[in-house]
Amino acid sequence: MHCEPALPFFCTNIHVGCSGRTEVRTFPFTLRVTSSRGWIESAPGAPAFQELYANGRVEWGKDYSYVILRPRQSEGYIKLLANGQYS
């Protein structure tokens, strides 16, 4: 799935709400997942994120309503909803 950010900076997400913005600018990227692993592709200018999420852990939601991609050895996540929205 190709992801295009709506906001210029990532937010410091605490559970459901945003507790303020980070200093990291958002960027478009392609998210790929299989049943058990995931990764980020096509993130121009963000090779560190591609490396961070390479071979990431995948958690599927009930009835596949969402998928969460987590880095292998770090904090953070990308959550993609079935309707195409992500955080």
Side-chain angles (χ1 to χ4, degrees):
M1 166 161 268
H2 182 73
C3 300
E4 192 72 40
L7 301 173
F9 291 89
F10 286 106
C11 95
T12 304
N13 195 349
I14 302 297
H15 302 293
V16 180
C18 179
S19 64
R21 76 172 217 183
T22 68
E23 296 300 316
V24 180
R25 293 195 64 83
T26 56
F27 50 86
F29 61 91
T30 300
L31 175 66
R32 300 219 188 261
V33 295
T34 66
S35 60
S36 61
R37 294 287 175 211
W39 59 97
I40 290 176
E41 293 179 346
S42 306
F49 278 89
Q50 284 183 245
E51 186 175 326
L52 179 66
Y53 283 93
N55 200 29
R57 297 172 290 141
V58 172
E59 299 169 21
W60 291 95
K62 191 180 224 180
D63 299 327
Y64 298 99
S65 59
Y66 66 86
V67 63
I68 296 175
L69 174 62
R70 296 184 187 277
R72 284 178 293 131
Q73 299 176 347
S74 181
E75 297 293 320
Y77 67 89
I78 297 172
K79 182 176 185 178
L80 177 64
L81 303 175
N83 67 6
Q85 292 183 321
Y86 72 94
S87 60

